[in-house]
Amino acid sequence: MRAQVGIIGAGPAGLFLAHLLHRVGIESVILEARSRAEVEGTVRAGVLEHWVTDLMDELGLGTRMRREAHQHDGITLQWNGERHHVDIAGLTSGRHVTVYPQHEVLIDLIEARLKQGGAIVFGASAVSITGADGDTPRIEFRRGPDGALEPLHCDYVVAADGFHGPGRRAIPEAMRCEYQKLYPFGWLGILARAPLSWHELIYANQNAGFALCSTRSADVQRMYIQCDPVDDIANWSDDRIWGELCSRLACDGWTLKEGPIFQKGIIPLRSFVCETMQFGRLFLAGDAAHIVPPTGAKGLNLAVADVVVLARALEARFKSNRQDLLDGYASRALRRVWKAERFSWYMTTMLHRNDQESAFEHRIHLADLDLVRTNRSAAAALAENYVGLPFED
Ligand code: RFL
Ligand code: PHB
């Protein structure tokens, strides 16, 4: 098999990249370890920045999203049992975010890609990447656990294979420049069949810890509570989860609407950046290169931002024989990455309870929240980051 660009991973980074390249006549092959059903059934992110939805329209991928998704003009921050509306649209000249689940985005991108005749090999696990430091890189992959090793020869390899994929590790460890912060808490996330409780997302900081009230549709709600990252989900009965959600989101004159929980799980929270996003002809994109805690709703959006920069650079290489944009990919992408890391860290530390922090630091976070409530510039900074910063180029 041969392709101009070999892409590992059919997540948001890999699929958006394939579409962006196809638009300018560059052909790619995506290798995806999981089955199509698994990819389309994994529940993750929910919030799209304004420019991501515009990009979906531009690529002809936005029809169902425009029909089914909900635009949110603001978010609610809650602390000391009181709610404060952050008017995202009012603070950002009318911009809004869109709540449209990641797996629905992937369903739309996969369907369109296959209709175009684009290649996605499901059930194909990349095992190694060789020759990235020369002119003839190659991905070795297996179809299924017992399949023979097969090569995908390509001009460039893009590892869009998430945090645990083999792409980043194909860069020699001694050359990788990495930064990491682990948080002493995780998120317990649920999906419940229940009506909407509030007209926008609520991010609540309460004595017992953080809670987030999000949504998926009029009758399916997505909610999270801060928990011990190594806790066992078996310790969390549905009654205990609803009890915590009700107490952390409690507010005078309001009741949380409950219903049957049909999915629950615990994820750890981390911040991570591998600044070495290029090794010869291998490029990292999305979670393969960086992770943010989900409090800022940035992970998926940042994955798409990487491949917007990378697609332009690959276009310049293939169409105008220019190498400089490819060589500048990491530094250009990292400017946005670090701003998203900063924002996600700010939202996370401001909104969670952390036993390892001093009472002084806790007071600082409450002051941060009060600043957003009382100061238009502070609120605008939050809103601009949440809705999606403009691209520099
Ligand atoms: P993905 O989505 O992990 O996709 C990588 C793909 O690569 C495949 N793969 C391989 N394929 C072939 N060979 C191998 N050896 C392979 N190894 C791996 C995997 O099967 C997979 O299909 O990475 P990508 O494309 O970089 O996208 C990143 C986003 O998925 C992620 O950042 C977001 O989900 C993060 N996130 C959120 N982001 C937002 O922008 N807004 C949100 O509201 C938001 N909420 C969230 C989130 C992530 C969460 N979890 C579960 C971590 C909420 C949660 C709870
Ligand atoms: C979600 O709906 O899954 C969601 C929303 C906002 C976040 C994180 C996750 O910050």
Side-chain angles (χ1 to χ4, degrees):
M1 243 205 285
R2 226 210 103 71
Q4 286 176 295
V5 180
I7 301 173
I8 311 175
L15 282 163
F16 269 100
L17 179 63
H19 279 282
L20 288 162
L21 294 176
H22 176 80
R23 178 168 70 164
V24 293
I26 299 169
E27 46 93 22
S28 61
V29 169
I30 304 181
L31 301 175
E32 167 54 54
R34 294 181 297 158
S35 68
R36 180 175 178 182
E38 279 175 282
V39 171
E40 294 184 345
T42 305
V43 177
R44 293 186 81 180
V47 178
L48 305 179
E49 292 179 2
H50 71 98
W51 63 272
V52 174
T53 46
D54 292 346
L55 179 64
M56 286 178 72
D57 285 337
E58 258 177 54
L59 291 166
L61 302 166
T63 315
R64 194 166 69 96
M65 180 263 301
R66 291 290 173 201
R67 201 172 55 232
E68 294 179 12
H70 293 274
Q71 292 185 350
H72 287 227
D73 289 337
I75 56 170
T76 295
L77 298 179
Q78 176 172 335
W79 69 103
N80 292 337
E82 284 177 13
R83 291 193 179 160
H84 173 70
H85 169 67
V86 181
D87 178 11
I88 304 249
L91 291 159
T92 62
S93 319
R95 297 205 161 121
H96 49 253
V97 293
T98 299
V99 175
Y100 190 58
Q102 176 166 330
H103 66 275
E104 303 290 0
V105 175
L106 298 185
I107 288 170
D108 297 344
L109 267 63
I110 290 169
E111 190 190 8
R113 167 101 180 140
L114 297 177
K115 259 199 199 135
Q116 286 161 359
I120 310 177
V121 190
F122 288 102
S125 279
V127 175
S128 66
I129 300 154
T130 49
D133 48 353
D135 291 337
T136 52
R138 174 169 104 217
I139 308 169
E140 301 275 356
F141 69 98
R142 257 184 236 291
R143 292 174 210 252
D146 306 319
L149 274 185
E150 294 178 49
L152 169 61
H153 299 276
C154 31
D155 296 317
Y156 294 95
V157 175
V158 177
D161 51 354
F163 184 66
H164 300 287
R168 188 174 63 257
R169 284 187 298 277
I171 302 174
E173 199 176 345
M175 295 183 63
R176 288 198 316 254
C177 174
E178 297 179 345
Y179 301 86
Q180 169 154 261
K181 177 176 172 57
L182 293 172
Y183 300 85
F185 38 79
W187 277 17
L188 187 162
I190 61 157
L191 281 172
R193 216 161 291 290
L196 203 61
S197 285
W198 191 245
H199 59 284
E200 59 193 19
L201 271 60
I202 308 171
Y203 291 83
N205 174 342
Q206 199 270 343
N207 283 339
F210 169 80
L212 168 58
C213 180
S214 180
T215 181
R216 285 294 177 266
S217 62
D219 50 7
V220 173
Q221 309 311 321
R222 177 76 161 150
M223 293 181 215
Y224 300 94
I225 40 183
Q226 174 182 350
C227 67
D228 184 338
V230 293
D231 204 347
D232 185 344
I233 192 68
N235 294 329
W236 288 86
S237 66
D238 291 5
D239 280 353
R240 183 176 172 206
I241 293 172
W242 285 119
E244 280 300 321
L245 280 166
C246 286
S247 98
R248 295 184 195 193
L249 292 164
C251 177
D252 277 350
W254 178 85
T255 26
L256 180 64
K257 299 199 172 99
E258 300 180 23
I261 294 174
F262 61 93
Q263 214 231 47
K264 55 182 167 183
I266 292 176
I267 56 154
L269 262 57
R270 81 169 84 225
S271 299
F272 171 83
V273 179
C274 171
E275 286 201 333
T276 318
M277 292 173 76
Q278 177 187 4
F279 174 61
R281 286 174 176 250
L282 165 65
F283 295 86
L284 307 184
D287 278 14
H290 40 72
I291 295 288
V292 285
T295 329
K298 287 283 152 270
L300 177 160
N301 296 292
L302 202 53
V304 184
D306 281 355
V307 298
V308 166
V309 177
L310 186 53
R312 277 192 208 138
L314 285 165
E315 183 186 358
R317 176 69 188 81
F318 281 109
K319 305 289 165 186
S320 324
N321 204 19
R322 274 181 63 182
Q323 179 67 27
D324 56 320
L325 290 188
L326 271 182
D327 290 340
Y329 161 66
S331 64
R332 211 166 302 117
L334 282 167
R335 288 208 287 272
R336 191 179 186 87
V337 168
W338 276 113
K339 289 184 196 99
E341 292 285 344
R342 185 208 68 84
F343 179 66
S344 305
W345 166 87
Y346 155 79
M347 291 287 279
T348 302
T349 51
M350 179 168 76
L351 287 162
H352 288 70
R353 291 301 165 109
N354 182 350
D355 295 343
Q356 294 174 16
E357 278 191 348
S358 63
F360 177 87
E361 285 163 310
H362 173 56
R363 286 286 190 283
I364 293 291
H365 300 320
L366 294 179
D368 267 334
L369 282 163
D370 207 43
L371 196 63
V372 171
R373 184 179 69 82
T374 54
N375 181 283
R376 191 180 162 88
S377 304
L382 190 153
E384 283 165 13
N385 279 275
Y386 193 84
V387 85
L389 293 174
F391 277 86
E392 279 179 33
D393 51 2

